[in-house]
Amino acid sequence: MRSTFTIIGLYLTVSLPVFCQLDSILSIKDYAERHASFINYIEDNYQPFEAYDSILRVAEFKIKKLNDDKLKQEIWFYNQDRKSRTYNGPTLLSSMTPLIEVVEQARKKSWTYIEAKLCARIGNFYHAQGQTQAGFEYLVKALDLVNQLDIKKYPEILKIIDNVAVNYYIFGDYVTALSLFKKGMGVAPYWRNKSERYILTNTIGLCYQKQMQYDSAIYYYELAHYNARETGNEFWATLTMGNRAYCHYLAGNYDEALPPLLKDFELSAQWGEVGSAVNAAMIIAAIYVEKNNLTEAAKYLDYGIEHQSFLDARQKISYYTSLNQISRQKGDYRQAISYLDSVQKYKDIAAITNNDGIIRNAELKLYLEKHKYDLELLESEKSRQITLRNAVLVIICLLGIIAGLWFFNIHLKRKRALELAEQAKVDAFRELEQAKKELSNFTAVIKEKNELIQSVKSELSALEHSNHGEERIKNINELLNSSILTEDDWREFKSLFDRVYPGFFVRLQEKLPHLTQAEVRLLHF
């Protein structure tokens, strides 16, 4: 209930059409278009802060009900940005402290786009406060982050790329600026609001102009002029028209350059843009001098003399050059020489300014490249450490697995050995019992033979005393003379005996070497 009353209060604080626009944006079905429209809506209402704060609170309340993670991330970002705008630090630069602190939070959440957006916001603020090195450090970091994302999947990175590209243009790296601008060529147009379209297109024209690619520059100036006219912004329409005319002038197309420059001068003077009017007047005067129309040239130079306090060193070079040419046309060589001295003076001033700018840019570029290299080294070392750690973990795991398998194998071998030993023991016992049984049976047979011999001997003795049965006596003697225990029987007996009493024959031979075979047989029985 309380949150409902809060939202009603915020509706009363900010104009109703603004919130109706928010409702209209949040009702867009296409996720990407809704995302782009929401960002443009928030950025367009960035000032004043009271209205921005109210809009943000209402937007947060409404977005919670949507199944749109990207918009929720955007709300998180703008809430952090709002904290920085209300942060009471000892200096203006310290207002970035809340944003700097949450960069790590975005990284931990794996919100690469939001992390890049935070870095870009910090970089822009530092750059605006004259902290160029710190500003570019964060802008380069933002660019590195968005380069990790596919612009087709994350078209929202376009605004960050455009932002960094503009700063590269200011820095003087026109090639890099153009390459960044071209990255967004295939992105849906709704990702740039109407003003961004002609401002960025004009900047692309400036990049080409700085590289003396005048045809390309003129094409983009015309495109920017068309976009500005379409939105009804006459100032930017006039500005882009003047840029196009200046490009024609640089290319030597004076007839093409003059009409739009005259229009630029007229409108700039009308709107009180004195600096722009003086700049146009100097170019017009230079063209009239080239055309040998000194009367018209003098008219625009007089305007320049009246407003020369608005001219910078470069404009004054053009101004005094035109005066020199007019004086020479009039035959006033003394005055012409005086104007040449002024031209040289301001050329020297411009050269000093340029040299200072070149040195500062070179130092800054070196610093940025070194810093980027250091970042790459840190990332490389971090990756190497992670790889090494993972490799160590893998090796430890492999060693653990190998050790486990080794111990398991040893356990299996020991278990198998014990089983085999137990089985061998059982087999040996069975074999011994079988041998004992066979030996017992064999011995019993031998005993029966001995008993038979004793019985035969008794019968023989009785026959001899009875004086009859000579044939029977003869058979009995032949039986007695035959071998009761054959060699085969003896070998079988020895084998069985040795199985039951291993080594008995060897020990007997060692202790009683002189025993005969008959005595050995006797001992066994």
Side-chain angles (χ1 to χ4, degrees):
M1 181 66 71
R2 181 178 298 176
S3 61
T4 303
F5 283 121
T6 302
I7 297 302
I8 294 172
L10 292 172
Y11 264 90
L12 296 175
T13 304
V14 185
S15 62
L16 187 60
V18 174
F19 287 115
C20 290
Q21 184 185 3
L22 175 61
D23 290 335
S24 176
I25 289 169
L26 296 181
S27 65
I28 296 174
K29 299 298 182 183
D30 183 77
Y31 279 82
E33 186 175 355
R34 180 169 63 195
H35 191 180
S37 300
F38 177 76
I39 294 173
N40 291 330
Y41 168 77
I42 294 294
E43 297 290 344
D44 289 343
N45 290 283
Y46 198 69
Q47 297 292 349
F49 178 73
E50 291 75 14
Y52 171 76
D53 183 61
S54 299
I55 289 169
L56 199 58
R57 292 179 184 276
V58 173
E60 182 177 13
F61 176 79
K62 291 177 175 293
I63 288 173
K64 282 182 180 178
K65 301 177 181 179
L66 296 177
N67 183 25
D68 194 327
D69 291 336
K70 288 192 174 183
L71 286 190
K72 291 176 181 178
Q73 291 179 24
E74 291 288 355
I75 282 292
W76 184 87
F77 165 80
Y78 286 115
N79 274 326
Q80 307 310 318
D81 180 63
R82 180 178 60 186
K83 291 176 185 177
S84 72
R85 296 177 70 180
T86 58
Y87 183 76
N88 293 320
T91 64
L92 183 61
L93 291 175
S94 64
S95 64
M96 287 294 100
T97 301
L99 291 186
I100 294 172
E101 289 176 349
V102 296
V103 168
E104 183 62 27
Q105 292 183 30
R107 183 182 299 114
K108 288 180 179 179
K109 292 174 181 287
S110 297
W111 291 354
T112 305
Y113 159 66
I114 296 297
E115 183 185 354
K117 195 168 183 176
L118 287 166
C119 290
R121 184 77 93 192
I122 296 167
N124 287 331
F125 182 84
Y126 279 141
H127 193 68
Q129 299 304 317
Q131 301 295 317
T132 312
Q133 289 188 355
F136 259 91
E137 176 182 341
Y138 277 98
L139 287 171
V140 169
K141 191 172 183 180
L143 183 60
D144 285 341
L145 287 166
V146 297
N147 283 337
Q148 299 172 23
L149 303 174
D150 183 1
I151 197 168
K152 292 181 180 178
K153 188 176 180 181
Y154 297 92
E156 57 267 29
I157 67 176
L158 174 66
K159 288 184 174 289
I160 299 174
I161 294 173
D162 285 345
N163 181 8
V164 177
V166 169
N167 281 276
Y168 268 105
Y169 165 76
I170 296 170
F171 177 64
D173 190 345
Y174 309 118
V175 174
T176 302
L178 277 173
S179 69
L180 291 175
F181 280 128
K182 288 178 180 178
K183 279 190 174 182
M185 291 299 185
V187 178
Y190 51 70
W191 280 103
R192 291 183 176 126
N193 61 36
K194 294 179 179 180
S195 63
E196 287 174 336
R197 291 173 200 169
Y198 55 74
I199 292 172
L200 292 173
T201 308
N202 181 71
T203 307
I204 293 173
L206 289 171
C207 287
Y208 279 116
Q209 178 184 306
K210 294 292 184 181
Q211 298 179 82
M212 293 186 291
Q213 299 180 34
Y214 299 125
D215 289 341
S216 296
I218 289 169
Y219 168 78
Y220 281 100
Y221 287 143
E222 289 175 348
L223 187 59
H225 176 73
Y226 171 79
N227 289 331
R229 287 290 300 274
E230 191 178 31
T231 59
N233 192 318
E234 288 300 320
F235 172 76
W236 269 94
T238 303
L239 177 67
T240 52
M241 180 179 64
N243 286 340
R244 180 187 61 184
Y246 182 62
C247 217
H248 278 301
Y249 164 71
L250 292 174
N253 302 323
Y254 301 134
D255 292 335
E256 291 283 345
L258 192 55
L261 280 170
L262 291 169
K263 184 69 173 177
D264 184 17
F265 171 76
E266 179 186 346
L267 292 176
S268 295
Q270 179 182 331
W271 293 334
E273 298 288 342
V274 180
S276 179
V278 170
N279 184 47
M282 292 299 99
I283 300 171
I284 293 168
I287 291 174
Y288 277 129
V289 169
E290 289 291 335
K291 288 176 169 289
N292 203 25
N293 189 343
L294 300 182
T295 303
E296 288 296 320
K299 183 173 70 172
Y300 288 97
L301 284 171
D302 288 341
Y303 181 87
I305 292 171
E306 184 181 350
H307 300 90
Q308 63 176 306
S309 60
F310 293 93
L311 302 179
D312 59 23
R314 292 180 181 83
Q315 290 172 327
K316 285 184 177 180
I317 292 170
S318 177
Y319 171 74
Y320 283 110
T321 299
S322 298
L323 287 176
N324 168 264
Q325 292 173 343
I326 292 171
S327 297
R328 289 172 64 185
Q329 290 284 352
K330 292 178 178 180
D332 189 352
Y333 295 105
R334 183 186 297 275
Q335 189 63 46
I337 292 172
S338 174
Y339 289 140
L340 277 178
D341 290 340
S342 296
V343 170
Q344 189 58 48
K345 172 187 173 181
Y346 287 105
K347 278 186 176 181
D348 291 341
I349 293 173
I352 293 170
T353 304
N354 286 339
N355 287 338
D356 285 343
I358 291 170
I359 291 170
R360 284 194 300 272
N361 286 346
E363 289 175 346
L364 178 58
K365 193 168 186 178
L366 179 63
Y367 170 83
L368 290 174
E369 289 176 353
K370 181 179 181 299
H371 183 72
K372 187 174 181 179
Y373 177 72
D374 290 339
L375 286 175
E376 289 174 351
L377 283 180
L378 288 173
E379 289 297 326
S380 176
E381 179 62 19
K382 181 181 177 181
S383 298
R384 192 185 70 82
Q385 292 291 342
I386 292 173
T387 302
L388 181 61
R389 182 197 65 187
N390 292 340
V392 170
L393 290 175
V394 170
I395 291 172
I396 291 173
C397 290
L398 288 175
L399 288 175
I401 293 171
I402 292 170
L405 291 174
W406 184 70
F407 281 114
F408 181 72
N409 191 39
I410 289 176
H411 173 72
L412 285 179
K413 286 182 177 180
R414 287 180 177 175
K415 184 179 179 182
R416 182 61 178 164
L418 289 173
E419 289 175 352
L420 290 174
E422 186 66 24
Q423 186 62 40
K425 184 177 178 181
V426 171
D427 292 342
F429 178 78
R430 288 177 179 173
E431 185 178 355
L432 179 61
E433 290 298 313
Q434 181 64 25
K436 283 182 178 181
K437 185 177 180 180
E438 292 178 2
L439 181 61
S440 177
N441 292 337
F442 193 87
T443 304
V445 171
I446 297 299
K447 284 182 179 181
E448 287 179 2
K449 286 184 177 182
N450 285 336
E451 289 174 357
L452 176 61
I453 291 171
Q454 290 298 324
S455 174
V456 170
K457 283 183 177 181
S458 297
E459 183 181 352
L460 179 61
S461 178
L463 289 172
E464 285 178 347
H465 287 92
S466 65
N467 293 322
H468 56 272
E470 286 88 7
E471 186 64 28
R472 176 67 173 165
I473 293 171
K474 182 180 178 182
N475 291 334
I476 289 173
N477 282 327
E478 287 177 358
L479 177 62
L480 290 174
N481 291 329
S482 67
S483 177
I484 299 301
L485 184 64
T486 66
E487 285 299 324
D488 290 337
D489 292 338
W490 171 245
R491 280 194 295 273
E492 185 178 354
F493 176 83
K494 280 183 67 177
S495 175
L496 290 171
F497 196 93
D498 197 55
R499 283 164 60 188
V500 177
Y501 306 103
F504 176 83
F505 288 105
V506 176
R507 291 192 298 274
L508 180 64
Q509 191 66 33
E510 288 175 352
K511 292 182 178 181
L512 301 170
H514 302 296
L515 290 176
T516 63
Q517 286 296 319
E519 290 172 337
V520 169
R521 292 184 182 185
L522 181 62
L523 285 172
H524 280 77
F525 289 103

